[in-house]
Amino acid sequence: MPAPVSSKPQVETWTNHPETKVSLDWAPLQIIDLSKFDAPGGKQELANELRDAVKRWGFWTVIGTGVTQEQLDRQLSIANTFFKLPLEEKRKVACDFTVGNYFGYREPTRFVGNTDVKENMEMLNLPKYTPNYDSVPRHDLVKAFEDEIAPFHRLVWDAVIRKIFVLFAIILELPENYFVDRHLYDEPSEDHLRYMIYHARSVAEDKKIGEQWTAGHTDFGSLTLLFSQSVAALQVRSPDNEWKWVKHVPGGITCNAADTLSFLTKGYIKSTIHRVVRPPADQASLERLGLFYFVRPGDNVPMVPAPSPVLRREGYLTEEEEKRASEDAVTGYEYVRARVKNVHDRKATRIAEDKPDAVFQVKNLKVQDYYV
Ligand SMILES: O=C(O)CCC(=O)C(=O)O
Ligand SMILES: [Fe+2]
């Protein structure tokens, strides 16, 4: 048995950056106050507020989550400490994209498209703390802080994700636990908490890549939670196909729906296109450290449309489709692993100049690979 890690390393405290003073074209994202969730009529009220946001934007912000600023800052400081480790240490547990495995450290090794500019982002994806993942390797630093990371990991699911899934079920007139049951924390899934850092680039380098740090894309799982942070760089494609900046909401969590939730709802819940670009001038030289939770469907959950009266009524789902849906259905694990492999198991990242006509497909499930 490995020796228990007795003392914690010193953390490199992370300090948040000031917000940009540049006036940007911000996306008008709906704010959902989850502190109302348990009040009488609260869930229904929140579901009504969320309905339009999920159908049209696929992006919204939650506040009143119960996750404290102190907990958030502590996670960011642990993340900051991790990224300052020597590369050899970070490499000890690495993502294995040859099998679409996103758990572990992602090193910025790839060139952007056909340029000589390298990726500027590193990440660490931490699987859930449940017996299913006991044997998954973790870095010593992560083990040393497990008493803080593990409860935080589960708290995000319990306090935020579970509630959002209940709201989706109400919107779709399904039993309240319909989506919760397909994303349970204690069942196996590719869910991960993510630490992610973007390093600043020079004006000249950013120019070569069209200032796009990550090309337009949809996320692979069901739901992405981005703990709101002050360095502006994330843009969402609006219902009118215009890029809008996502504004910082202190203490809030920006959420977006992703591919598998769109499959489970026949496209009613929108898997929204977004990208990451060079920050505005007053923030362009800052390190951009972020904390995320990527929610994936349960490994064994079939990607079939929910039997929702709303989907039937609004013409998303025909009787014939409903009958055929479960034949040869793709599972959550199959889709997510294949999608991660397709996007990441390559030597160069995609760039806006590439032809954006690539379609990714697993059996009947189809998405556009990336967007300009
Ligand atoms: O860094 C961000 O704000 C978003 C990152 C993102 O879109 C992703 O990792 O899928
Ligand atoms: Fe994304």
Side-chain angles (χ1 to χ4, degrees), residues 17-26 198 213 228-235 244-248 275-284 286-288:
H17 300 300
E19 284 183 51
T20 180
K21 303 233 166 14
V22 179
S23 145
L24 299 170
D25 188 8
W26 302 113
Y198 295 82
W213 285 4
S228 186
Q229 57 126 308
S230 54
V231 180
L234 177 61
Q235 294 186 332
K244 303 273 183 190
W245 294 80
V246 173
K247 194 168 171 41
H248 179 42
R275 67 180 186 182
V276 183
V277 300
R278 178 180 170 83
D282 59 351
Q283 294 186 315
L286 301 174
E287 302 256 84
R288 182 171 182 269

